Amino acid sequence: MKKKFADLSELVMFQHSVFSLPFIFIAMLVAAKGWFGWQLLLLGTLAAVSARNYAMGVNRYLDRDIDILNPRTKSRPSVDGRVSATQMLWFILANAVAFIVVAYFINTLALELSLPILVVLGAYTYFKRFSALAHLILGISLGLAPIAGEVAVSGTISWWSIYLATGVMFWVAGFDLLYSLQDMEFDKEQGLHSIPSKFGARKTMWIARAFHLFAVTFWTLFVIEAKLELFAVFAIVFAAIMLIYEHYLVSKDFTKIDRAFFTVNGYLGFVFLTFIILEVM
């Protein structure tokens, strides 16, 4: 059982939950204008984790034919036999049901949005088979987190959460572009659609920079619309500095992509969350 749990954790790369969790909590804090309670903390965490597990499960299940051909991914549990196709389907179903049940306990709007959200989360895998916009679809998937955070607290969707979500979308799409540079040649060989395979490394890096500039811009609009002050401004400044550092790492050496992807982006969300906590508390 312990080994199977470890295999499933590796399957969905559970540690990458750090990318979406901070932003759902940021939205919840801003919507509540402070602490939103232990019950919503638990429900918000369960919703975010089950949604991400579902999305990654769908991705791994549908990408088996691609992953087995890619030297970088052929050792994934979904490919090497550690997690069977049947087990993946049960895992996907269990997390989809868990997400809907959690949404039911949050509020009516959350329940109404649960199925459309699952559709969006499952769409990413298909997009890269016919459109280079797949990077933005991934961004939208994670960008739903702050909107869900406001819905959980207030049962409404405001412009500030849309701005925050749009910033998250461009942030995720930008670092996914950098991460996709590793598979640029493989995508070309397999006829997969990605911005790196279509435009090359140099143009991709410029597009990623533009996406991250958009991210900072929309996060600034979020701060203005939510009427936040000094600590929220610090959050934007530090996020911008970390994104600049990320691009510096990748531009100097493509072997630093993992460090830029995991370390810098992982810390960015938590730094942002820390400043928002200081702001609203």
Side-chain angles (χ1 to χ4, degrees), residues 113-148:
L113 292 175
S114 60
L115 283 177
I117 286 174
L118 290 176
V119 171
V120 173
L121 293 178
Y124 163 69
T125 298
Y126 285 108
F127 264 82
K128 65 185 175 187
R129 297 172 187 260
F130 62 85
S131 173
L133 292 176
H135 308 282
L136 284 169
I137 300 302
L138 178 64
I140 290 171
S141 297
L142 272 76
L144 290 170
I147 292 177

Side-chain angles (χ1 to χ4, degrees), residues 200-235:
R202 181 177 175 80
K203 288 183 179 178
T204 294
M205 292 180 71
W206 278 108
I207 295 170
R209 289 166 188 153
F211 279 5
H212 282 159
L213 178 60
F214 291 151
V216 172
T217 300
F218 278 100
W219 284 337
T220 302
L221 291 173
F222 149 67
V223 169
I224 294 170
E225 183 68 23
K227 296 180 173 56
L228 302 176
E229 298 181 359
L230 185 61
F231 284 113
V233 173
F234 286 158

Side-chain angles (χ1 to χ4, degrees), residues 9 21-22 24 37 42 45-46 63 95 122 178 222 259 276:
S9 178
L21 278 174
I24 191 171
L42 175 62
T45 302
L46 290 174
D63 273 3
N95 279 280
L178 299 179
F222 149 67
R259 179 180 173 190
I276 296 300

Side-chain angles (χ1 to χ4, degrees), residues 18-136:
V18 297
F19 297 139
S20 58
L21 278 174
F23 284 93
I24 191 171
F25 294 143
I26 287 167
M28 293 171 79
L29 285 164
V30 174
K33 296 181 173 59
W35 177 235
F36 44 80
W38 291 105
Q39 180 176 332
L40 276 181
L41 175 65
L42 175 62
L43 291 173
T45 302
L46 290 174
V49 171
S50 59
R52 189 185 176 281
N53 284 346
Y54 163 83
M56 290 299 296
V58 171
N59 176 267
R60 294 294 188 258
Y61 178 78
L62 295 177
D63 273 3
R64 289 169 297 154
D65 59 328
I66 297 172
D67 289 345
I68 198 170
L69 301 174
N70 189 338
R72 188 178 64 81
T73 59
K74 65 181 181 181
S75 62
R76 284 176 173 170
S78 52
V79 177
D80 64 12
R82 283 178 288 158
V83 179
S84 70
T86 301
Q87 289 170 333
M88 278 187 280
L89 285 173
W90 279 112
F91 181 79
I92 292 166
L93 179 61
N95 279 280
V97 171
F99 179 70
I100 294 170
V101 170
V102 170
Y104 169 80
F105 282 106
I106 291 175
N107 57 46
T108 302
L109 181 57
L111 179 61
E112 291 173 351
L113 292 175
S114 60
L115 283 177
I117 286 174
L118 290 176
V119 171
V120 173
L121 293 178
Y124 163 69
T125 298
Y126 285 108
F127 264 82
K128 65 185 175 187
R129 297 172 187 260
F130 62 85
S131 173
L133 292 176
H135 308 282
L136 284 169

